[in-house]
Amino acid sequence: MPPAPATSFIIPIPLLMLIAVTTMPLLLAGGESIPTTLDGPFKPTTRRFDPSLRRGSDDLPIDHPRLRKSNVSSDLPEQIALALSTPSSMWVSWVTGDAVVGKNVKPLDATLVSSEVWYGKEKGKYTLKKKGNATVYSQLYPFDGLLNYTSGIIHHVLIDGLEPGTKYYYRCGDSSVPAMSEEISFETLPLPSKDSYPHRIAFVGDLGLTSNTTTTIDHLMDNDPSLVVIVGDLTYANQYRTTGGKGASCFSCSFPDAPIRETYQPRWDAWGRFMEPLISKVPMMVIEGNHEIEPQASGVTFKSYSERFAVPSTESASNSNFYYSFDAGGVHFVMLGAYVDYNQTGAQYAWLKEDLSKVNRAVTPWLVATMHPPWYNSYSSHYQEFECMRQEMEELLYQHRVDIIFAGHVHAYERMNRIYNYKLDPCGAVYITIGDGGNIEKVDVDFADDPGKCPSPGDNVPEMGGSCPLNFTSGPAKGKFCWDRQPDWSAFRESSFGHGILEVMNSTYALWTWHRNQDVYKDDSYGDQIYIVRQPILCISPATSREAGGGKETSGGENRLSSPSFPMFIWIFLMFGIL
């Protein structure tokens, strides 16, 4: 082999391996030009609402085939749902019995039924059996003309001993009746590892139960996710009077004399039936939104949300259904609550700080946060509504180099350039608003930078928590509450219904695709697509890092280029001007 020319150099094997890993997704794209976040920050782009589409649709009627109860016997399970617990365990939830709406309602006795799950790795062979608990709840409105509600029996069973990446078959119910469900199957996720990720993770928010919702969920199911994350606002049962009837896109506009923000709780049961074909086979993780508040006259809130969904609160040491964390392969999720105390002196902040400190980025390289309201939002709707929460929590998430932050609340789509504290930052998170699931309140079309569309600082006040509107202190919008053009931090926005799919390729690359509802019948069509690229070497966490140092944890003060644990091949990068 002839000697290399004097102007060339030998590329070390570690460098070759890194180049191969970080370019692989682009090579797998079949030559298509899919942008990456490394190409950013991007010039702000807006795709206006398509006037040939409707901004919204009415809710499906309660007797719609996908919403009504189909079981002949009320003893049989319905509204069956899965949720992750730990990498080797899963929650199975369902409802039996008949809910009751009336002036005087009597709760069912949950102690009279059993909660059982039979499961195994072969069809019809259930080698494992677990029992759980059951509960009921009531939604009470002691006002003239209003009706009360008491639920069916809600069952939650934790099944464990699950092997990763394995298909299981299960039935749930009460074998003593007997009243067991038909056999259903699910596949477990891979164990936490930098080399293993869920096939596809679906994100959606602000769903409701409209015709648009059916398109969203049907489209999402066609994309075959292995995990579904819903960023709040599930049923929109609080768009109704307690007597049912027709829901309203604006409750206060349609029912100005209502003594309280009422709900029609049978919409929760209808939503559980509607979602069952998906979430009985694929785990669904939820976080609360403002439409889950549902205040009762006694001051009780979030009762439906708290009782119906099993989440890994104990498993993640939060002990609260309003915020928790979990692992999905090499992705660590933190689900944050915007409608409980998020201040730095509160329990949620203390839990979050502890949870993030335990994350080992050598095992779960990707760190993803979700919450219901967005911190960065250029739409008029909910503009700067949760600025207080951002001011309390953003720095902590930035210190730990959270990669992506998903939110809903705004009924449209928006993806931000990497940002921190309203400044473009290559180490900031990619914020994505995905609150476009299709609910009755219609899609948001106005931007805060449109002429005459900038809200006043007092317009968008949270239903819970404080308000901290601010004027910008630097940049093109200095001294103003709104920009007069699309903000630099807003990379792409469009008013349309849809959902998103995250496909994590490896420890540095993840493909994000936003699927619009109008593209459901078009092959290989989407509204937005980009590779989100992590840069753990450039963006070493000032809090802790177990990744750049080969798995060894170092304190923030030691995370400098002079650190003894700094990988040698990075010096080679620097030597040849690659970094």
Side-chain angles (χ1 to χ4, degrees):
M1 185 176 185
T7 55
S8 68
F9 59 92
I10 304 298
I11 300 178
I13 290 177
L15 176 54
L16 286 172
M17 293 174 64
L18 186 65
I19 292 172
V21 168
T22 56
T23 58
M24 180 179 64
L26 299 180
L27 298 175
L28 291 177
E32 296 179 9
S33 179
I34 300 176
T36 82
T37 50
L38 298 179
D39 302 323
F42 298 93
K43 181 180 178 181
T45 301
T46 296
R47 189 183 291 142
R48 294 277 177 177
F49 177 71
D50 184 346
S52 69
L53 303 174
R54 293 186 300 166
R55 281 190 60 193
S57 61
D58 290 337
D59 268 346
L60 301 177
I62 200 71
D63 61 352
H64 187 278
R66 293 176 68 165
L67 274 57
R68 65 174 179 241
K69 189 169 184 174
S70 58
N71 288 341
V72 176
S73 170
S74 62
D75 294 324
L76 288 170
E78 62 157 1
Q79 306 177 48
I80 302 170
L82 302 175
L84 298 178
S85 171
T86 69
S88 61
S89 59
M90 186 89 73
W91 286 103
V92 183
S93 304
W94 67 95
V95 176
T96 58
D98 293 318
V100 179
V101 175
K103 195 62 181 176
N104 298 303
V105 295
K106 182 180 179 181
L108 298 175
D109 188 347
T111 65
L112 299 179
V113 295
S114 180
S115 306
E116 305 171 48
V117 177
W118 302 351
Y119 59 109
K121 292 187 286 186
E122 295 182 48
K123 283 186 175 182
K125 294 184 179 180
Y126 312 112
T127 56
L128 299 167
K129 297 182 181 181
K130 289 290 180 179
K131 289 191 174 184
N133 55 64
T135 187
V136 297
Y137 77 91
S138 296
Q139 192 82 7
L140 303 176
Y141 300 106
F143 300 98
D144 289 340
L146 273 62
L147 300 179
N148 298 314
Y149 169 92
T150 186
S151 71
I153 299 173
I154 301 167
H155 305 257
H156 299 298
V157 177
L158 182 64
I159 60 175
D160 56 14
L162 303 177
E163 299 176 11
T166 302
K167 191 169 188 176
Y168 283 88
Y169 300 87
Y170 76 97
R171 297 177 69 187
C172 60
D174 185 347
S175 61
S176 68
V177 175
M180 299 293 288
S181 70
E182 296 294 324
E183 183 178 81
I184 311 171
S185 65
F186 66 87
E187 187 168 326
T188 54
L189 300 184
L191 290 175
S193 165
K194 66 181 180 62
D195 300 316
S196 300
Y197 300 93
H199 170 57
R200 287 180 182 140
I201 306 173
F203 291 84
V204 68
D206 303 74
L207 267 172
L209 275 174
T210 69
S211 298
N212 286 316
T213 310
T214 64
T215 304
T216 300
I217 293 301
D218 290 347
H219 197 183
L220 186 154
M221 291 175 71
D222 287 343
N223 281 321
D224 189 29
S226 48
L227 174 65
V228 177
V229 179
I230 302 185
V231 294
D233 283 3
L234 310 175
T235 71
Y236 286 78
N238 68 340
Q239 299 301 116
Y240 289 78
R241 303 297 301 265
T242 61
T243 50
K246 188 174 181 179
S249 59
C250 172
F251 184 90
S252 60
C253 307
S254 298
F255 313 120
D257 299 325
I260 193 171
R261 182 64 182 266
E262 303 170 37
T263 71
Y264 185 57
Q265 289 292 300
R267 299 297 296 186
W268 278 96
D269 297 305
W271 193 86
R273 297 176 194 124
F274 174 82
M275 294 293 290
E276 182 180 333
L278 169 64
I279 62 178
S280 62
K281 301 173 183 176
V282 177
M284 172 186 69
M285 309 306 290
V286 299
I287 198 67
E288 78 281 358
N290 56 301
H291 284 272
E292 279 73 67
I293 298 174
E294 298 186 330
Q296 299 188 43
S298 63
V300 172
T301 55
F302 293 105
K303 194 64 174 175
S304 310
Y305 169 84
S306 298
E307 299 297 334
R308 288 179 181 269
F309 299 108
V311 299
S313 55
T314 301
E315 298 92 321
S316 61
S318 81
N319 297 313
S320 169
N321 283 24
F322 301 113
Y323 52 89
Y324 60 92
S325 68
F326 63 93
D327 291 328
V331 184
H332 184 73
F333 280 86
V334 288
M335 311 287 278
L336 300 178
Y339 301 93
V340 291
D341 186 5
Y342 48 69
N343 293 306
Q344 294 182 10
T345 56
Q348 179 176 196
Y349 189 92
W351 165 83
L352 178 62
K353 188 175 182 180
E354 178 70 12
D355 186 85
L356 292 175
S357 72
K358 295 177 181 177
V359 176
N360 185 344
R361 302 300 279 270
V363 178
T364 52
W366 288 87
L367 186 50
V368 174
T370 77
M371 64 194 77
H372 181 59
W375 291 346
Y376 292 97
N377 164 38
S378 66
Y379 287 82
S380 300
S381 179
H382 305 301
Y383 182 77
Q384 283 201 26
E385 186 175 308
F386 276 79
E387 178 61 20
C388 292
M389 186 182 184
R390 184 194 70 81
Q391 293 177 22
E392 292 290 328
M393 285 188 156
E394 185 185 27
E395 183 178 3
L396 181 60
L397 298 185
Y398 178 76
Q399 287 176 349
H400 286 271
R401 297 296 189 253
V402 171
D403 298 299
I404 315 172
I405 299 177
F406 290 97
H409 205 37
V410 176
H411 303 158
Y413 176 77
E414 188 168 20
R415 172 174 53 82
M416 316 308 156
N417 285 309
R418 289 191 177 277
I419 187 172
Y420 169 62
N421 197 25
Y422 280 105
K423 294 180 181 178
L424 298 177
D425 188 319
C427 298
V430 175
Y431 287 79
I432 296 174
T433 299
I434 191 78
D436 55 345
N439 67 80
I440 196 174
E441 289 184 330
K442 302 181 181 180
V443 70
D444 288 319
V445 298
D446 294 332
F447 302 111
D449 48 272
D450 283 339
K453 298 298 182 180
C454 178
S456 69
D459 283 348
N460 295 319
V461 178
E463 280 133 305
M464 303 178 102
S467 178
C468 304
L470 59 78
N471 288 345
F472 296 100
T473 57
S474 62
K478 184 177 180 179
K480 300 178 181 178
F481 185 55
C482 297
W483 288 58
D484 57 11
R485 59 175 173 81
Q486 185 175 357
D488 291 341
W489 37 264
S490 174
F492 176 73
R493 62 189 184 183
E494 179 178 354
S495 299
S496 188
F497 291 125
H499 72 280
I501 296 289
L502 186 69
E503 300 174 76
V504 182
M505 305 297 184
N506 54 42
S507 63
T508 54
Y509 272 76
L511 179 63
W512 167 253
T513 307
W514 175 54
H515 296 274
R516 304 181 304 173
N517 281 6
Q518 60 263 42
D519 298 327
V520 67
Y521 301 113
K522 302 175 185 177
D523 293 335
D524 299 321
S525 184
Y526 47 81
D528 185 33
Q529 189 172 60
I530 189 170
Y531 280 106
I532 298 173
V533 184
R534 298 183 60 249
Q535 299 184 81
I537 296 166
L538 172 66
C539 301
I540 298 177
S541 167
T544 60
S545 175
R546 304 178 191 175
E547 190 173 14
K552 181 180 179 181
E553 182 174 0
T554 58
S555 69
E558 298 170 345
N559 280 332
R560 304 186 182 95
L561 294 183
S562 58
S563 169
S565 64
F566 198 75
M568 180 59 67
F569 68 87
I570 302 305
W571 287 112
I572 299 172
F573 270 52
L574 295 168
M575 185 185 304
F576 293 104
I578 297 173
L579 289 181

